[in-house]
Amino acid sequence: MFSNLYDKETMQGASSSYSEEDEIKRKTTAPVIICVVCAIICVIAALLVLFVIPSKLNIFGKHTEKNSEQEQVTNLPSEEINQQEQIAEIPPEPEPIPAKEDEIVIAETPEAVVPEPPAPAPEPIEDIRYKIVWGDTLWDISNAYYKTPWKYKRIANYNGIKNPDHIISGNWILIPAE
């Protein structure tokens, strides 16, 4: 309907400028789309590095084992420490006489073999007191202390936590001994 309004020169100029604008838009949209996709991939990778991978590395397990060993060493009475030092100071046995080929040796008196007394029963492990920090879940705490995350309900029941998904940082809980 309005094709007769413009002369041929104007139409040619308009159509040529329109096609140039079209080409410019086409040339700039592809890099923009690629940049947006790369940005999304970078955000997803950053989230994986920050949240998923550290939970699989069992950060709590390494920390708690060191603390529990230190606590056990510091809780030993001085008598037990002295006994351990005395055990370490026992002199080594003399070296046996080297064997000779084609000789039979008969012992004059047989050695008396005295069995070692059985090791004392280990003391029962006490409950562990743990302070909840931001980002903790009972699932991760259970995985750190029991080496299996499926015992999180045991921790929740032991501490009277009605909703295991809702724990507050700063609170202290007791982790029951196995």
Side-chain angles (χ1 to χ4, degrees), residues 17-46:
S17 66
Y18 179 72
S19 64
E20 289 175 14
E21 290 176 9
D22 236 3
E23 287 182 39
I24 292 172
K25 286 183 182 177
R26 286 184 193 150
K27 288 181 182 177
T28 57
T29 54
V32 170
I33 292 173
I34 291 172
C35 288
V36 169
V37 170
C38 289
I40 292 171
I41 290 172
C42 289
V43 168
I44 291 172

Side-chain angles (χ1 to χ4, degrees), residues 59-79:
I59 296 170
F60 299 113
K62 294 176 185 175
H63 177 67
T64 55
E65 288 174 5
K66 291 178 183 175
N67 285 347
S68 63
E69 289 174 8
Q70 290 174 354
E71 288 176 5
Q72 289 175 356
V73 170
T74 56
N75 291 339
L76 290 176
S78 60
E79 294 175 10

Side-chain angles (χ1 to χ4, degrees), residues 109-163:
T109 56
E111 293 181 24
V113 178
V114 180
E116 294 182 18
E123 295 180 17
I125 301 172
E126 296 180 10
D127 296 339
I128 299 169
R129 191 166 183 237
Y130 180 80
K131 184 176 183 180
I132 299 172
V133 295
W134 187 88
D136 276 348
T137 62
L138 291 182
W139 179 271
D140 291 335
I141 294 170
S142 172
N143 193 18
Y145 284 97
Y146 297 132
K147 306 295 185 226
T148 177
W150 294 103
K151 294 186 178 182
Y152 74 95
K153 289 183 181 177
R154 181 177 180 191
I155 297 172
N157 291 338
Y158 194 78
N159 290 286
I161 299 172
K162 293 180 182 176
N163 184 357

